[in-house]
Amino acid sequence: MPTQVNLVSKSLRPTNPLVKATLTDLYQLTMLYGDWLMDRHNIPVTFDLFIRHNPFGGEYTLFAGYDEVVKFLQSYRVTEEEVAHARTLLSNAEPEFFDWLLTLDCSEVMLYAQAGLAFPKVPFMRVDAPNGIGKMLETTLLNLTNYPSLVTTNAMRMRLAAGKNKTLLEFGLRRAQGPDGGVSASKYSVWGGFDGTSNVLASSLFNIPCYGTHAHSWVLSFGGFEDIPLNRRMLLNRNTGRQKDFVEYVLWLRNAILKLGHTHTGELAAFTAYALAFPEKFLALVDTYNTLGSGVPNYLCVAGALYDFGYTPLGIRLDSGDLAYDSKQARAMFKEYERNYPLAEQSKISASNDINEAVLYSLNEQGHEIDTFGIGTNLVTCEKQPALGGVYKLVACGDRTPIKLAKDKTTIPGKKEAYRLYNSQGQAVNDLMILVGEKPPKAGQRVLCRHPFDETKRMYVTPSRVQPLHRLLWDGQNAAPIPSAMEIREKNMEDVYNLREDHRRVVNPTPYKVSVSEQLYHLLHEMMDRESTIPEIM
Amino acid sequence: MPTQVNLVSKSLRPTNPLVKATLTDLYQLTMLYGDWLMDRHNIPVTFDLFIRHNPFGGEYTLFAGYDEVVKFLQSYRVTEEEVAHARTLLSNAEPEFFDWLLTLDCSEVMLYAQAGLAFPKVPFMRVDAPNGIGKMLETTLLNLTNYPSLVTTNAMRMRLAAGKNKTLLEFGLRRAQGPDGGVSASKYSVWGGFDGTSNVLASSLFNIPCYGTHAHSWVLSFGGFEDIPLNRRMLLNRNTGRQKDFVEYVLWLRNAILKLGHTHTGELAAFTAYALAFPEKFLALVDTYNTLGSGVPNYLCVAGALYDFGYTPLGIRLDSGDLAYDSKQARAMFKEYERNYPLAEQSKISASNDINEAVLYSLNEQGHEIDTFGIGTNLVTCEKQPALGGVYKLVACGDRTPIKLAKDKTTIPGKKEAYRLYNSQGQAVNDLMILVGEKPPKAGQRVLCRHPFDETKRMYVTPSRVQPLHRLLWDGQNAAPIPSAMEIREKNMEDVYNLREDHRRVVNPTPYKVSVSEQLYHLLHEMMDRESTIPEIM
């Protein structure tokens, strides 16, 4: 039995207004017409949405995107405008079809789904529906889950690489594959353990923390202190409670105390102006001209001045160069500067230049001094593997349990449920699929778990705990409430950190076991035998 | 001088409603506040949007996405809702800033852009604007052009690989990076030389051809001929003008003539049903059970029946297996079948399984028999390089011409124009950047073209033709009309096919030359000298 949840009636729409019935492949529409014409559109069918392999050479996946799927099902209808376009594409179809198309909705669709940590072959989602609408949903459901699951998994791999105590920020909007690639990456990065995003719209849409300071263009746009207007040079000195000329103080520090004649004056003016605008959130991008020769000393000068005015500066950002070396050098310079500004060493170091999972591990080995990583391109485009191969396959049609035969791609037929079995140490050891109607596995009861295709691989498991994996998310009328991005983040991190270390390690991870019940095993092999054609060799 | 175009006043909005002012990074907003506070938001600035390297190891790029940029500028405004969110992010900002934010628009922005074939360093776009709004546009403009240019270029590389006479279809929606990644991929694949898409919504939005037949689920959902209702078995025989039982005819052909007892009956029924629904567009997916043992013979049976009824079947689709071998075997089977159905050999063969540029070249070598390629994952996610590194850099600020210094990443300062110089054979030989105000190059006049950074690399060019590369696309009020997707496709294909073969070849292509004028060269090196700090070694 799937987990019981209280469904609620809400009226949500997909985040992206482009998500509509015709955001699909034409063949869904031609098949819909064919099924309608053959009066087969109401046969009850079941589709499984699943993957065949984990991404990135790993042995786990975080299933995501089901939130938008629920909104899509809830708001599903084919508009007059879409029907008009369909008429041009199916020009010879019987006119009554288009009248019927206008009535199509998801009121007879049942959606069961996993959430978070999941594995190949076990359905991420099961759709029970009439044949017509069931087939029609394929492309949109895959689009709404493939990329979200990929980027959530990618984010989690980076979280594991960086470690729990680092701040990870998604910075990928400018390189994302389209506006929605950016917006959904922001959300699903948080699902995968990131702390926030630079994306303003995403932070608003999904209520996730937003981070950002200034760009190189800010630094470049300042030629010198003459670019700070005279009426904007005063800053409240919190220690004295009086306004004081901050520019004058910075210049005094620079010349009298620090002897920083060699640093770039325009850059120092830019930092000073930024500090005047954001005295409580001063974080300086230090690599416009020369990171260690100009940027870091200029930061320390302005940070020290802010400190003397009673503020706590945040730190620096590195956006180029050797991040391990520069961060260690910068930390050493901070320490040396403590005679001027006692909290200097605690300045945070952010880094954001072409970081990926491998770079994070390499930085760890080099003993870097970075506190916060801003990760863009490699996070949001999933450079190591930019697509997840989720598929949506027919497994039940009326009384039949069809099977698609193909080398390494044979589907597992039948309407199925799935359970996660835990051993006595509380570790997940096996995901078991059974047919709907079979007796579910129970804690303390020994159950035979078979490899779906290899008859020699089987084991008895007596689970200490049994977790149903499928939740009913949509019953045709009502939707399950979806937790907030930050709540899902906590759950996903907990599940992945609790996964056995050999399943989640980067190098040669051990595959997690996925099995079928005895009854499902026999159905599968009976169908393989029945449906494969026998060539005649003469 | 940029090309003169007639601008028109239209009221277009971005295709994706998520494209709005706050689809940007937070640091744009913090800098906007800083500039406003320092009264620097109205200084005239120039930003260049450009790439440093061509994608996919090639030596050309097709710049795309400017259509959506124009719509974005045209519709730019910050809504009350967005301002409310900005207030939470900039909690200590002066309240008047938010009033001003509501008035921000692009009425003082001028946008110049290239279209299509372009090269690194030469600005794809130049933005002349007040400092505030100019900075603010960075992330959105990059998002709207990076991926479109990448996928357009990727599509063109596949077009070159497949050859001009093949049909190329974009099938990537299910694996795209989000809904918009799918929709924009459909459009920009056509810009890059594809013939159409499977994406119904995209075909409607952009008026591009839509293609599609049926999926494995169609085949799987038929158990046998009993699944075709009795009242749907008749088909007009065009030769006799009378309705006739098509199912009976197919079964007669199969049993009496073809002796196809070994093929899969459910598959044959599925093909027959599809032919009944689409007698003029019959194209069968043949790899559900056994491509050559069942799918192709079943196709030929139904195709032959359709032919005898006066219809011309389209062909088959292969979605797995060895595409070169299977297509050649299928073609041979078609030929052999001509005694039953004279046009059999002309059946088209479509293929659609994990095709990429390298696979296309490999299939060519193997002498494949494929007429149409459906390309999904590798086209839309640009697997070989999933992000384009476009950047947006400040090059003029008031009277200053700032420069960002970095190893291999130094920017070229100043407000610039660009020209393409052609030799007497009509071939493009060099893109030349000059400063606005310099005398533009002219046909028949000798001009010195210098490598921007290497003082030893320079040449005199006497062009036979000079093409201004930048067009004014937006003047603050009016926008240049953008041609249709199919028109842009023709232009891009013409430009790339006219490019010298050594620039567009896959293996070790020759870099195309990009130069600066003598005057720009001296400005660049003067700025490099002035802005680099000199460390003191003691």
Side-chain angles (χ1 to χ4, degrees), chain A residues 24-27 30 37 40 85 92 143 146 173-174 177 179-180 198 203 213 221 232 264 280 386 531, chain B residues 25-27 30 37 40 85 92 143 146 173-174 177 179-180 198 200 203 213 221 232 264 280 386 531:
Chain A
T24 191
D25 291 310
L26 178 57
Y27 77 4
T30 55
L37 194 72
R40 294 175 59 75
H85 183 55
N92 292 326
N143 179 279
N146 265 329
L173 178 57
R174 64 192 57 200
Q177 299 201 343
D180 187 72
S198 63
S203 84
T213 54
S221 71
R232 290 296 186 185
H264 195 286
E280 294 174 272
E531 299 292 330
Chain B
D25 292 310
L26 179 56
Y27 76 4
T30 56
L37 195 72
R40 294 174 59 74
H85 182 56
N92 292 326
N143 180 279
N146 265 329
L173 178 58
R174 66 192 55 201
Q177 298 201 345
D180 187 72
S198 63
V200 177
S203 84
T213 54
S221 71
R232 289 296 186 184
H264 196 286
E280 295 174 271
E531 299 292 332

Side-chain angles (χ1 to χ4, degrees), chain A residues 101-150:
Chain A
L101 196 54
L102 281 168
T103 69
L104 196 68
D105 65 21
C106 291
S107 61
E108 292 175 72
V109 172
M110 305 276 277
L111 174 76
Y112 300 87
Q114 297 195 61
L117 187 64
F119 301 94
K121 299 192 190 80
V122 185
F124 285 168
M125 303 204 289
R126 186 183 103 208
V127 174
D128 295 344
N131 188 24
I133 182 70
K135 276 209 193 88
M136 188 73 179
L137 297 174
E138 176 183 22
T139 308
T140 321
L141 265 52
L142 288 171
N143 179 279
L144 291 175
T145 55
N146 265 329
Y147 174 64
S149 303
L150 190 73

